[in-house]
Amino acid sequence: MSEIQKIMIAVVGIFVIGIIMVGTNKEQSIEEKESASKIRNYVALQNMANQKCPAAIKQATGEQVYFPLETNSDKETYITMKWAGEQGGFKTASCTVRSALGGISELIIDDNILINKKI
């Protein structure tokens, strides 16, 4: 067996060992799964709020909003976003999305409550 063949066998052996190590290391702990689940839930809640709230504000005022001035959340059950009007359609708007309802639970534009759903 030549030196080149020995080196090739060693390289292949290292690749096999690496693949085995990666393959056996995929199990996540319960804490890691819970943390990942909370992050996915918060991202889904933000996405829902970013889709539904601007559309509801535009429907109510005729003014398109883009970036909220303030965001409040417990990062599990609700997210509240607040906007300021720029073109005169409204002064302030607040929209709350709750994961239990799967949509907007409260929409307040210029201190007028347009949507107020209780859990």
Side-chain angles (χ1 to χ4, degrees), residues 30-50:
I30 293 172
E31 292 83 14
E32 289 172 331
K33 289 178 183 177
E34 288 175 353
S35 177
S37 174
K38 286 180 182 181
I39 291 170
R40 282 192 301 271
N41 182 50
Y42 185 57
V43 168
L45 198 57
Q46 276 188 322
N47 284 338
M48 188 186 322
N50 284 328

Side-chain angles (χ1 to χ4, degrees), residues 6 11-12 21 24 31 34 67 72 79 101:
K6 289 179 185 178
V11 169
V12 170
M21 288 175 60
T24 60
E31 292 83 14
E34 288 175 353
F67 302 107
N72 298 322
I79 187 168
L101 293 175

Side-chain angles (χ1 to χ4, degrees), residues 46-65:
Q46 276 188 322
N47 284 338
M48 188 186 322
N50 284 328
Q51 289 175 354
K52 294 188 176 197
C53 290
I57 292 170
K58 184 173 183 180
Q59 182 180 10
T61 65
E63 184 175 335
Q64 181 69 43
V65 294

Side-chain angles (χ1 to χ4, degrees), residues 46 49-50 53-54 68 70-72 79-83 93-96:
Q46 276 188 322
N50 284 328
C53 290
E70 184 181 337
T71 302
N72 298 322
I79 187 168
T80 299
M81 296 179 160
K82 297 180 181 179
W83 288 268
S94 173
C95 180
T96 301

Side-chain angles (χ1 to χ4, degrees), residues 4-17:
I4 294 176
Q5 288 176 332
K6 289 179 185 178
I7 292 173
M8 288 175 51
I9 291 172
V11 169
V12 170
I14 290 173
F15 279 121
V16 170
I17 291 171

